[in-house]
Structures are given as C-alpha cells and as structure tokens.
Amino acid sequence: MAPRRRRSAGALPKAVNPAQAVKPAQVEPPATQTAKTGEGLYAALDLGTNSCRMLIARPKGSQFQVVDSFSKAVQLGQGLETYGRLSRSSMARTVQALQICRRKIEAHGVKRMRLVATEACRRAKNARDFLRYVRRETGLPLEIIPPEEEARLAVISCASLVSPRSEQVLVVDIGGGSTELVWIDLEDVPPGDRARAIMRLSQGFNQPDGPVPAARVVDWISVPLGVATLKDQFADVEDDAARFALMSWFFEEKLADFTPYAAGSPQDGFQIIGTSGTVTTVAACHLGLKRYDRNRVDGLTMNSGQIDAVIRSFLQLGPEGRRMDPRIGRDRHTLIMSGAAILQALMRVWPTDQMSVADRGLREGLLYAQMAADGVLEEME
C-alpha cells in the first residue's frame, strides 16, 4: 500500500542540537480527586492497530492535569494484513476495553471528549460495521480520523519539546499500523515563538499568512507500516537478525519520495522528535530504568550510538530473552524489533545523529486540540 502524503513548499534543512532543547513542560501526575460533575474534564481515546488508550484530564495553565487513564493491548488489527477485515475476536476484545473506558468516562462525568480510531479501522473493509457494533455495545461516539489529522495531532502534542534553536523539525510517530512523519520549517518564526507556532498547527497544516510568522509544513507522509503491520510482513522469516535487517530496509524504501529523505543533507538547525512506545522503551532501557519513569524519559535526548546499543542488546537477547525481559514488557516483546527496525531506519537517513524522546502522542494532541478550541489553555511560554 502506497504512503499517503501531502507536500507544500518549504525550506530545506539548516540545524540544531536537540540536546539544547527547552525542557518540556511536564504533564501533572494523576490527580487523586475528581470533580463529581466532570466540570472542566476532557477525555481523549486513541484506538490503534494494537492498543486502546485513553486519558481524562483537566486544563492547568498551558498544560493539563491527568485525572485518570487507561491502556490495554487489544490487537484490533490482528489478521488484517491477511484478510483485510477486523476479526470477530479482535472486535470483541476491543469492545471489552471500550466498555471499561465508558465506565471511567461516566464515573468522572466527562462531557467533552474525542474518541478516535486510526489505521486498522481506516484499512478494514468492515470498519463501519465495527463502529456500529461499538455504538450499540458501549454508546461511545468512536470516529475514524484521516492520516493528516493523526499526524497533526501527534505534532502539536510535541510542541513543548521544540528547541528555540530548531529551524527545521521532523516529528515521527511510530504507531501499530502506520508511521506518520511531518517535516516543519520554522526558519521565519522568532525563536521564542517556535513552540507556540507548532501549537497553532492544531488549526490545520495550511496556516494562512498573518502578522505572526507561521510554522510551515514542508511535507508529511503516512507510511502504512507500524510495529504490528511491519512485523506481519516478515512473519515467515525465521532468522531473528535477518528479519530485523529486512524490516529496516523495507521501511526505508517507503520514504524514497519524502522531501527530507530525498533532499536532506547533514546541516545544522535540524531536530527530530520521536514519539511512540518503541522510542520510550528504547529510552528507558538506555537509562537502565527498573521501573518506567515518564519524567525521566519525556524530553530525553539520545544519540544514534546510544539507540544502536539498545537495539543490539535486544538482538542479543533473541525472541525468548525479549519475552522474559521486564524492561520490554509482555505487551511489547513481539513488536519491539519491528519498531526498532523503523527507528534504526529513521536514524540512518536523517541529517542528525540525535533524537528527542516524547512520551506523548495522539491522546495528548486530542486533549490539547479540544482545550485550545475551547480557549481554556494559557498561551505556551
């Protein structure tokens, strides 16, 4: 399947060292008390190819405070590559998870919400039947969003990680069924306004000319390969190392016409931000964390040597070792190498050897977009 993409005019890379990026504003830890009426609360749910994840939060300054969350691997896209349809068992698993989400939404009295499905539902022939099934069983208003909106929401979730020194930014979101890449030109935006310029992309990638210079989306692409779908492409390759190499080169081939891949040259002023479970797992392993700590992972900068060292350690473990490794987790051990293959390909081809790690993504973007539309967020500093 060909990548979905849109191109607009823009500059080629110049440069930045992401180690100099602004320390991200931290999302508050979960609150212990919730307003019984749900006043001021927002919900955001991301139903992907592999996982169902939800956040319930309230605005706080220019950020938000999480009051409840949910995450479960539902494997909605299991068998999709082979049959082109969502299976009855995967739909039933997903509905069970969505019923838990519904109970949380009702318990908190949430009135403002956005509940979205992505690549698996975009591709499945029976996606509309699935949405009707969800509505009948849970009453939840689940909607399928297009690739451009998924990419845009991932971008605005990472706004606070953008360095004032960055003139060109590449945001990469590695999902279960697809990988979104967005190339942003900030050269004309004053350094102190660059994070805010990224947030303004919540209104759309095509920003009108105005008194304040806008972030320009040079190019974006949605590659229909994520950790689950890429793994399925090479399920018949028995050798672990060979399968990993094939996955990495296969993914790189899908980037051939993407602007920064075709025209990129190693210059200064370029920042890459990676958001996904793969990126945060690699970061946590690099830090040697025995227990995951978002505050240490979100905003971390890793170089290509550090990323390669962690990936080599995964290969040395082998499939059984990865299954038993608590750093990787039971929900991710079968997917970590396909995600690592994508990550290695990205670090191989872009004009930087460093990546900013983002423990955030579609859910956070959904929350920011809803709150910004309602005017309840303070201007980001």
Side-chain angles (χ1 to χ4, degrees), residues 245-257:
L246 287 168
M247 289 190 295
S248 187
W249 287 108
F250 183 70
F251 183 84
E252 184 179 340
E253 288 177 356
K254 305 301 180 184
L255 305 175
D257 294 330

Side-chain angles (χ1 to χ4, degrees), residues 285-348:
C285 290
H286 164 66
L287 292 172
L289 300 182
K290 293 182 179 179
R291 184 174 182 178
Y292 187 79
D293 184 347
R294 181 187 187 277
N295 289 331
R296 293 188 62 186
V297 170
D298 189 51
L300 177 72
T301 296
M302 297 184 67
N303 62 41
S304 55
Q306 293 166 336
I307 292 171
D308 285 343
V310 174
I311 293 174
R312 285 196 303 271
S313 74
F314 291 164
L315 283 168
Q316 290 168 358
L317 284 172
E320 183 62 21
R322 293 192 294 269
R323 187 179 72 83
M324 301 298 293
D325 194 322
R327 303 174 306 164
I328 298 172
R330 293 183 180 180
D331 289 345
R332 192 166 296 279
H333 74 91
T334 62
L335 304 172
I336 190 61
M337 295 316 298
S338 51
I342 293 172
L343 183 57
Q344 188 184 73
L346 296 172
M347 297 307 294
R348 186 166 61 234

Side-chain angles (χ1 to χ4, degrees), residues 34 41-44 54-58 64-70 101 104-106 108 110 367:
T34 303
L41 292 183
Y42 293 75
M54 183 181 71
L55 288 176
I56 296 175
R58 61 163 54 91
F64 55 77
Q65 179 185 41
V66 175
V67 301
D68 204 350
S69 63
F70 174 80
C101 294
K104 286 178 174 288
I105 289 170
E106 290 177 349
H108 290 288
V110 179
L367 288 172

Side-chain angles (χ1 to χ4, degrees), residues 80-154:
L80 182 60
E81 282 291 308
T82 304
Y83 302 106
R85 299 175 62 85
L86 304 175
S87 69
R88 290 184 179 181
S89 58
S90 65
M91 289 192 293
R93 282 194 305 270
T94 302
V95 164
Q96 288 177 348
L98 290 171
Q99 286 171 335
I100 297 172
C101 294
R102 174 184 55 80
R103 290 195 289 270
K104 286 178 174 288
I105 289 170
E106 290 177 349
H108 290 288
V110 179
K111 299 295 189 295
R112 293 282 284 117
M113 68 189 78
R114 187 104 191 271
L115 318 175
V116 306
T118 55
E119 185 67 12
C121 288
R122 286 195 292 260
R123 294 175 58 185
K125 297 175 183 176
N126 58 338
R128 296 298 170 186
D129 294 335
F130 172 62
L131 292 188
R132 285 192 288 268
Y133 175 41
V134 169
R135 174 72 80 160
R136 184 175 68 248
E137 297 296 321
T138 70
L140 294 178
L142 186 66
E143 60 177 305
I144 302 171
I145 60 172
E148 179 173 337
E149 184 172 9
E150 182 178 2
R152 177 165 49 84
L153 291 166

Side-chain angles (χ1 to χ4, degrees), residues 220-291:
W220 75 272
I221 188 171
S222 179
V223 181
L225 291 170
V227 295
T229 46
L230 183 59
K231 177 182 75 72
D232 291 345
Q233 289 275 351
F234 295 90
D236 58 340
V237 180
E238 294 185 3
D239 184 81
D240 194 43
R243 183 169 58 250
F244 172 78
L246 287 168
M247 289 190 295
S248 187
W249 287 108
F250 183 70
F251 183 84
E252 184 179 340
E253 288 177 356
K254 305 301 180 184
L255 305 175
D257 294 330
F258 186 45
T259 295
Y261 179 86
S265 57
Q267 300 174 1
D268 292 332
F270 181 75
Q271 180 182 3
I272 180 170
I273 302 174
T275 171
S276 73
T278 294
V279 176
T280 56
T281 298
V282 168
C285 290
H286 164 66
L287 292 172
L289 300 182
K290 293 182 179 179
R291 184 174 182 178

